[in-house]
Amino acid sequence: MSIIRSVLLSLALCVLAACGNYGPVDVSSDEVAKLEAGLLALGPEVDPDEAARAARIAYEYTAVLVREYEITDAPLVHNTKVNMGLKPRGLCWHWAEDMENRLLKENFQTLDVLRAIANAESDWLIDHSTALLAPRGGGLSDAMVLDPWRYGGRLAWAPVTEDKRYDWVPQEVVHARWRAEIAAGKRDAPPVGATLK
């Protein structure tokens, strides 16, 4: 990245940091109920108790991670601080990995926990990871995005088909492409922090 591009990006990040309110947020039971309804709408096979539990955990665990990651800034500003060693965690893949691991502990019988990546082929945009919930046996197009990184610790969620901000690709597809590029000598290694599964 050129020095001019780095300086412009830093200035843009400073402006973005001044435009938002980041960090801990109170979540209403209405917000949890809306996510629960969204999870139930994924399909008739989704158990109402599992949808309720998953929605509650998604919001509660986001709040836990906000405290653990020490979120006080816009996502890209926080990323910079993590990369500089000033904050412990909080890159998008940290959120996705930690949310995935927390949801997997529930051993849902009617929901599958998935991962996806967007912007993996972009030269200008950073790749972005997220965790998702889908009806058991469903794929990416059937899933609900759970993205606490996008708004700096405020859970964003939407069905994949309605999330117009990102073009999600299953994590395993992106990782397979990265492995093939490494084997062909087109890439030295996966992106910083990425662990190929």
Side-chain angles (χ1 to χ4, degrees), residues 19-103:
C19 294
N21 181 17
Y22 305 98
V25 63
D26 291 325
V27 176
S28 72
S29 58
D30 186 48
E31 289 174 279
V32 175
K34 286 178 185 175
L35 176 53
E36 176 184 343
L39 292 171
L40 285 170
L42 295 176
E45 64 275 16
V46 176
D47 178 72
D49 290 335
E50 286 192 0
R53 187 164 26 120
R56 180 181 46 77
I57 289 168
Y59 274 105
E60 287 177 357
Y61 199 57
T62 294
V64 167
L65 294 177
V66 164
R67 288 187 298 277
E68 286 182 9
Y69 296 167
E70 303 171 9
I71 303 293
T72 56
D73 298 300
L76 294 176
V77 174
H78 188 82
N79 279 15
T80 302
K81 290 180 177 181
V82 171
N83 290 328
M84 292 173 64
L86 301 174
K87 295 285 184 168
R89 282 174 71 83
L91 304 177
C92 64
W93 68 269
H94 293 144
W95 289 98
E97 180 177 77
D98 291 346
M99 184 66 74
E100 173 190 34
N101 289 336
R102 175 60 188 91
L103 291 168

Side-chain angles (χ1 to χ4, degrees), residues 45 48 53 72 86 94 105 119 135-136 142-143 163 187-188:
E45 64 275 16
R53 187 164 26 120
T72 56
L86 301 174
H94 293 144
K105 288 180 181 179
N119 304 330
R136 175 69 70 189
D142 307 309
D163 189 2
R187 176 186 287 273
D188 293 331

Side-chain angles (χ1 to χ4, degrees), residues 103-124:
L103 291 168
L104 285 171
K105 288 180 181 179
E106 295 301 307
N107 295 311
F108 293 123
Q109 299 303 301
T110 65
L111 291 167
D112 284 335
V113 183
L114 309 174
R115 288 279 298 278
I117 301 174
N119 304 330
E121 294 185 35
S122 175
D123 290 332
W124 283 92

Side-chain angles (χ1 to χ4, degrees), residues 2-23:
S2 73
I3 293 174
I4 293 171
R5 196 166 147 197
S6 296
V7 169
L8 290 174
L9 179 60
S10 296
L11 288 172
L13 294 176
C14 290
V15 169
L16 286 173
C19 294
N21 181 17
Y22 305 98

